[in-house]
Amino acid sequence: MRACDVGPDDLLEAAGYLFCCPENLASMSGEMKEMLDRCYYPVLGKLNGRPYATIIAAGSDGEGAQKQLDRIATGWRLRRVADHWILDTGAQTEKEILAPKTIGETDLARAREMGEALAQGIVDGII
């Protein structure tokens, strides 16, 4: 689901989470941040122990957004079940930064596999 479409009930109904967002100016995207701001307190104390993983698309670093997501996951008492993945788009020049980004099929396949593995682990009861 897009972050703008996620509400507290969606988080409560999910058995686990794969949070994906771009990093903008060393922070998670505004859309992701807005969803987390809107949903944080309504689900606080209700998601404890659920598994999560993260994918960050960044021009080079991605650590700022990753740290923000991990802090929120810690507050929700979520349990990381996969190493974080920071997808480096290599956008360093003004032209590259301003250009629309296209994620290649190899990386999209890896993201799908990560989501499928998370879902299968939940179904199988191993995560």
Side-chain angles (χ1 to χ4, degrees):
M1 295 179 70
R2 284 189 61 135
C4 63
D5 297 328
V6 174
D9 288 343
D10 298 306
L11 293 169
L12 292 169
E13 290 173 10
Y17 314 95
L18 178 54
F19 297 115
C20 305
C21 72
E23 180 181 64
N24 296 326
L25 302 172
S27 298
M28 70 180 93
S29 69
E31 185 174 312
M32 179 68 83
K33 177 77 167 79
E34 188 278 331
M35 181 276 290
L36 294 166
D37 285 345
R38 184 171 31 82
C39 296
Y40 187 82
Y41 289 107
V43 302
L44 187 61
K46 300 175 184 172
L47 306 179
N48 298 11
R50 294 184 192 185
Y52 85 103
T54 55
I55 302 172
I56 307 295
S60 61
D61 183 44
E63 292 296 331
Q66 184 57 61
K67 288 177 184 176
Q68 286 179 306
L69 280 169
D70 282 339
R71 274 189 235 120
I72 290 164
T74 296
W76 276 343
R77 308 296 189 262
L78 300 179
R79 182 173 41 89
R80 177 174 283 288
V81 295
D83 291 338
H84 70 270
W85 175 25
I86 296 176
L87 173 59
D88 182 354
T89 64
Q92 293 299 298
T93 67
E94 180 179 0
K95 183 178 178 180
E96 292 169 336
I97 290 166
L98 295 175
K101 309 301 182 285
T102 301
I103 305 302
E105 187 52 43
T106 300
D107 289 322
L108 290 173
R110 180 178 171 196
R112 280 191 293 276
E113 289 169 8
M114 193 172 182
E116 290 167 359
L118 178 63
Q120 193 61 52
I122 291 167
V123 168
D124 292 345
I126 58 174
I127 58 172

